[in-house]
């Protein structure tokens, strides 16, 4: 069971090295769940609860990021205007 804490911290290290925020938060969720599981199995309730809270917060942010990254379909009337004048903007910024 000792390997769990090391695995959790290695995944945390990988998350901190990630450049993409979605990957960072996803890795942190996994790491915090592993560290939380280890803490609960050892009876260290405060560390288990804190890591569970952090994992929940990161899950919420993963969902927010995924929703924000969804592709937006422009209405047919706006597509030519966007293509002609606003290609430097994302479709989300254009709307």
């Amino acid at each position: 069971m000792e390997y769990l804490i090391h695995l959790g911290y290695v995944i945390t290290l990988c998350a901190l090295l990630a450049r993409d925020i979605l990957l960072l938060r996803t890795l942190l969720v996994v790491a915090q769940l592993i560290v939380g599981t280890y803490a609960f199995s050892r009876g260290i309730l405060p560390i288990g609860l804190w890591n569970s809270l952090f994992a929940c917060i990161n899950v919420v942010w993963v969902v927010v990021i995924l929703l924000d990254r969804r592709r937006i379909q422009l209405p047919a009337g706006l597509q030519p205007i966007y293509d002609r004048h606003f290609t430097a903007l994302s479709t989300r910024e254009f709307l």
Side-chain angles (χ1 to χ4, degrees):
M1 197 61 108
E2 288 291 321
Y3 66 90
L4 276 182
I5 193 76
H6 298 292
L7 178 63
Y9 286 128
V10 166
I11 294 172
T12 300
L13 173 66
C14 292
L16 295 174
L17 295 173
R19 294 186 69 166
D20 180 51
I21 192 72
L22 180 61
L23 177 61
L24 180 143
R25 290 200 179 266
T26 303
L27 287 173
L28 282 178
V29 168
V30 173
Q32 290 161 339
L33 289 175
I34 290 171
V35 172
T37 300
Y38 174 80
F40 283 128
S41 73
R42 294 290 185 183
I44 310 169
L45 192 62
I47 293 174
L49 290 175
W50 277 110
N51 276 281
S52 299
L53 175 65
F54 295 149
C56 290
I57 290 169
N58 279 313
V59 165
V60 169
W61 276 109
V62 165
V63 171
V64 168
I65 292 167
L66 287 173
L67 291 174
D68 197 41
R69 288 187 180 182
R70 284 186 309 172
R71 183 176 171 96
I72 293 179
Q73 185 66 34
L74 291 176
L78 290 178
Q79 188 66 48
I81 297 169
Y82 174 77
D83 291 338
R84 205 169 326 137
H85 302 289
F86 296 99
T87 55
L89 299 176
S90 70
T91 53
R92 187 175 302 280
E93 292 168 330
F94 175 66
L95 290 177

